[in-house]
């Protein structure tokens, strides 16, 4: 495959390895340097940049947008755009794309895995056997059934809906909270996160990670879940008050938690490491080869569509003509 140089494009941040391979096989695009080299790059090349390619873990902040006076579009490899300053992009008429849908099933599978591992304590049971404790200590302690539980989903979008569908197979009763009630939804609507948490056994966080969602799951919501309740988060660490979560888990204020995301990744509160009622994943919600390739190819389709037509395939914000 012959690569093509795109002179008016710029890469920002480190890319997931599949996206890196697929993009570099097709295009030569310079990367924004880190450290002191960044200022020199902006001084020499900022006016030339029309397209930025980034990832969900890197983003594009307001200062970077301001430093690129002719920026027209931001192509993001990832469903989440919480690290892109969308208000700044909207004011400038800058288009923004993401990679929705292609990762919904895989992330929903991850959520289901976290629910099963946390409530049934499968990870702890595995460690029990490996440590030789089955021989020394006898049978593993009882765990909690998943079938028939009341489950609340905070954010009934593509991923949240896919999680709900899977849980129906476990005969779970589903409730949800969104900013607005979904017409025609078969699930019970809760007017607030607090009221949702008060009424369920498990709260699954599947909302977006935009600034409006910061600490949407605050101490009061966590306390409403109570010492028999569980939290599962496959959204963003910023949505949950992590300090309150750690305090309640350590002190017995929650029955357990399954976490794929954290407030300051890759750093995880060390207090959680010794808790057998907590399952910790290294942000692997969409980490399968098939899904990551589908995400990469969709991001590249957005880039190529903009180059060919001036439009994005999956726009979060449409570029101003």
């Amino acid at each position: 495959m012959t690569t093509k140089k795109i002179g008016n494009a710029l890469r920002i941040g480190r890319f997931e390895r599949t996206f890196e391979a697929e993009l570099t096989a097709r295009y030569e695009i310079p990367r924004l340097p880190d450290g002191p080299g960044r200022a020199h790059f902006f001084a020499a090349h900022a006016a030339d940049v029309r397209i930025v390619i980034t990832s969900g873990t890197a983003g594009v902040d307001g200062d970077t947008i301001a430093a690129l006076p002719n920026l027209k579009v931001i192509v993001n490899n990832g469903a989440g755009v919480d690290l892109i300053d969308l208000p700044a992009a909207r004011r400038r008429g800058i288009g923004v794309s993401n990679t929705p849908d292609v990762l919904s099933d895989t992330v929903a599978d991850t959520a289901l895995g976290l629910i099963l591992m946390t409530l049934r304590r499968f990870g702890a049971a595995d460690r029990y056997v490996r440590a030789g404790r089955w021989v020394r200590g006898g049978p593993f302690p009882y765990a909690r059934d998943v079938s028939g539980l009341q489950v609340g989903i905070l954010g009934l979008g593509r991923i949240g809906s896919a999680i709900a569908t899977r849980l129906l197979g476990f005969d779970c009763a589903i409730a949800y909270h969104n900013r607005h009630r979904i017409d025609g939804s078969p699930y019970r609507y809760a007017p607030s996160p607090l009221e949702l948490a008060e009424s369920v056994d498990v709260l699954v966080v599947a909302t977006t990670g935009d600034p409006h969602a910061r600490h949407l799951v605050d101490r009061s919501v966590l306390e409403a879940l109570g010492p028999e309740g569980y939290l599962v988060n496959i959204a963003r660490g910023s949505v949950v008050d992590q300090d309150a979560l750690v305090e309640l888990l350590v002190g017995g204020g929650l029955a357990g938690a399954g976490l794929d995301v954290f407030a300051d990744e890759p750093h995880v509160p060390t207090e959680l490491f010794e808790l057998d009622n907590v399952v910790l994943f290294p942000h692997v919600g969409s980490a399968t080869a098939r899904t990551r390739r589908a995400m990469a190819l969709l991001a590249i389709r957005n880039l190529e569509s903009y180059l060919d037509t001036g439009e994005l395939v999956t726009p979060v914000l449409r570029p101003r003509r």
Side-chain angles (χ1 to χ4, degrees):
M1 184 182 296
T2 303
T3 59
K4 178 181 178 182
K5 187 173 183 179
I6 307 178
N8 61 356
L10 176 66
R11 300 168 48 167
I12 294 182
R14 300 289 176 183
F15 292 169
E16 185 272 331
R17 63 179 183 270
T18 301
F19 185 45
E20 177 77 23
E22 295 289 349
L23 186 67
T24 56
R26 293 165 172 81
Y27 298 104
E28 295 180 33
I29 301 171
R31 186 194 303 274
L32 180 64
D34 295 323
R38 178 168 294 210
H40 295 301
F41 180 92
F42 282 145
H45 304 291
D48 300 328
V49 176
R50 304 290 192 276
I51 303 167
V52 160
I53 299 98
T54 189
S55 69
T57 58
V60 185
D61 60 22
D63 290 341
T64 302
I65 290 173
L68 300 170
N70 296 311
L71 181 61
K72 302 299 182 186
V73 72
I74 298 169
V75 173
N76 182 57
N77 180 48
V81 292
D82 46 298
L83 295 182
I84 297 174
D85 192 330
L86 293 181
R90 186 179 290 110
R91 287 192 297 270
R92 290 261 305 272
I94 296 167
V96 177
S97 68
N98 68 341
T99 58
D101 295 325
V102 294
L103 75 168
S104 297
D105 283 336
T106 303
V107 177
D109 291 347
T110 302
L112 185 60
L114 280 170
I115 292 170
L116 287 166
M117 286 190 68
T118 305
L119 274 72
R120 290 297 311 275
R121 301 184 64 195
F122 288 148
D126 175 79
R127 293 190 294 274
Y128 192 82
V129 173
R130 292 175 187 272
R133 294 175 63 191
W134 192 11
V135 173
R136 299 193 307 271
F140 186 73
Y142 292 153
R144 182 83 175 268
D145 280 318
V146 173
S147 296
L149 290 181
Q150 301 276 338
V151 179
I153 298 177
L154 186 59
L156 195 70
R158 297 177 178 94
I159 294 171
S161 296
I163 295 168
T165 299
R166 283 154 174 75
L167 288 169
L168 291 177
F170 288 83
D171 198 30
C172 292
I174 308 297
Y176 76 97
H177 173 74
N178 278 10
R179 291 172 190 166
H180 305 286
R181 185 192 298 266
I182 300 173
D183 292 338
S185 173
Y187 309 123
R188 176 174 62 85
Y189 177 70
S192 71
L194 179 63
E195 291 168 272
L196 181 63
E198 288 174 336
S199 66
V200 298
D201 304 299
V202 181
L203 180 63
V204 181
V205 184
T207 188
T208 61
D210 63 50
H212 299 292
R214 177 174 172 76
H215 287 190
L216 191 62
V217 179
D218 60 13
R219 178 180 292 273
S220 66
V221 173
L222 294 169
E223 289 177 344
L225 268 176
E228 300 298 318
Y230 297 82
L231 180 81
V232 170
N233 189 3
I234 47 80
R236 286 290 186 268
S238 60
V239 180
V240 177
D241 182 341
Q242 185 168 278
D243 290 340
L245 174 63
V246 171
E247 182 181 324
L248 289 167
L249 286 168
V250 171
L254 285 170
L259 307 173
D260 185 44
V261 290
F262 303 90
D264 182 27
E265 295 177 2
H267 305 289
V268 176
T270 56
E271 299 95 322
L272 300 179
F273 290 170
E274 300 304 319
L275 299 181
D276 263 353
N277 62 335
V278 179
V279 177
L280 306 171
F281 285 177
H283 202 151
V284 294
S286 63
T288 70
R290 180 177 66 88
T291 296
R292 290 291 172 86
R293 186 166 190 269
M295 291 170 63
L297 294 180
L298 181 53
I300 291 169
R301 280 178 57 206
N302 274 287
L303 172 62
E304 293 173 342
S305 176
Y306 181 75
L307 291 172
D308 292 340
T309 70
E311 297 292 341
L312 295 166
V313 178
T314 52
V316 176
L317 297 176
R318 294 188 181 279
R320 185 183 298 160
R321 288 283 190 170

